Amino acid sequence: MIGITRDNIDISALIENARRPEAGGIVTFIGTVRDDGFEALELEVCEEVAVRDLNRIASEATEKFSLTSVEIIHRSGRLALTETIVAIVCGAAHRQEAFAGCSWILEEIKAYVPIWKKDIGDEGAWHFQSPSDQQQGS
Amino acid sequence: MRITIICYARFRDVFGEESIVEVPDSATILDAVRLLAGRVGPDADLLLTPEGLIRDYVMVVHQGSRILPAEAGTITLSDGDTFTLFPPVSGG
């Protein structure tokens, strides 16, 4: 399952999808909204490009790390503190591949997928991580 | 030619969600971005370097393909074209 959703993410369902006879390990990463002094987080997504990117990342990770399954669901819309932003579930024959694949997928999402965070509080600010604008970054 | 430029996130706040720019025949993506940037005063430097080139961190999508900022001056537009500008991403 690869996609973007405005609904809560059912992490148990993702893990169940990863259970296969050939998988000896399932690694799950759950990104959550941290309290950095704001009330909520708004996630904006260019869904057309993002879904294409997530599928590309899943395919590359499957090949690169010999994964038996990849599940990636990313939220959009407004999220409260502690809510799940992203869930990544990787199955592999052995734990090393599952851990490595899960970590690689997260870094690819952070680098390439058109998703943006905006703090919701007194004065919302986009997380904007350009080299010349580090003070705005998360 | 009329070109539509769509911006997301912080770029949308500064440059507008959907902007129409009028460019001459044979204009490139870079030409259109310069016109858009020229509408907002000092905030133009979010998109352009002091030399007038598109900053490396800007993601440009044209006809479903990502365009490297360095290639924007070589891609010729057609009347009615649309392209999208993304600021650096922050998902995950």
Side-chain angles (χ1 to χ4, degrees):
Chain A
M1 202 179 307
I2 308 285
I4 304 290
T5 181
R6 295 186 71 86
D7 302 323
N8 289 329
I9 299 172
D10 184 350
I11 294 159
S12 297
L14 299 179
I15 293 171
E16 287 310 307
N17 281 350
R19 289 186 190 278
R20 325 204 157 171
E22 66 270 27
I26 299 170
V27 168
T28 301
F29 173 81
I30 301 167
T32 58
V33 181
R34 183 179 56 230
D35 184 356
D36 279 342
F38 48 78
E39 298 168 6
L41 200 62
E42 182 79 25
L43 290 175
E44 180 176 345
V45 180
C46 177
E47 195 160 336
E48 180 188 353
V49 178
V51 169
R52 201 166 61 219
D53 284 350
L54 291 176
N55 278 291
R56 188 266 304 166
I57 289 167
S59 294
E60 286 188 24
T62 299
E63 187 167 341
K64 192 177 175 74
F65 299 96
S66 302
L67 301 177
T68 53
S69 66
V70 175
E71 318 281 335
I72 311 172
I73 303 292
H74 205 295
R75 283 288 305 272
S76 65
R78 182 171 291 213
L79 281 72
L81 298 179
T82 76
E83 276 196 78
T84 298
I85 300 171
V86 62
I88 304 168
V89 179
C90 292
H94 305 286
R95 66 186 182 282
Q96 292 92 343
E97 289 88 350
F99 276 116
C102 194
S103 177
W104 184 84
I105 287 170
L106 179 63
E107 298 308 319
E108 288 289 298
I109 291 171
K110 284 182 166 292
Y112 294 109
V113 183
I115 299 171
W116 302 273
K117 296 171 182 165
K118 188 176 191 179
D119 303 343
I120 305 299
D122 291 340
E123 188 175 346
W126 290 107
H127 293 245
F128 189 78
Q129 299 176 319
S130 69
S132 59
D133 203 11
Q134 287 294 330
Q135 74 274 15
Q136 297 275 351
S138 59
Chain B
M1 300 193 299
R2 284 167 65 87
I3 305 299
T4 303
I5 304 175
I6 296 170
C7 292
Y8 276 83
R10 187 175 176 188
F11 286 175
R12 183 193 56 235
D13 292 351
V14 175
F15 301 102
E17 183 169 5
E18 190 172 308
S19 303
I20 305 289
V21 295
E22 294 280 350
V23 296
D25 289 348
S26 304
T28 65
I29 288 175
L30 176 59
D31 296 326
V33 170
R34 284 173 173 164
L35 280 172
L36 178 69
R39 295 176 176 175
V40 299
D43 281 342
D45 66 8
L46 282 172
L47 287 178
L48 299 175
T49 66
E51 296 76 31
L53 301 175
I54 299 175
R55 291 193 180 276
D56 288 344
Y57 59 69
V58 178
M59 292 165 61
V60 184
V61 175
H62 178 237
Q63 295 178 346
S65 298
R66 291 216 163 121
I67 308 296
L68 292 174
E71 296 172 348
T74 66
I75 295 170
T76 305
L77 295 165
S78 301
D79 187 35
D81 267 6
T82 297
F83 65 87
T84 306
L85 300 176
F86 296 138
V89 300
S90 58

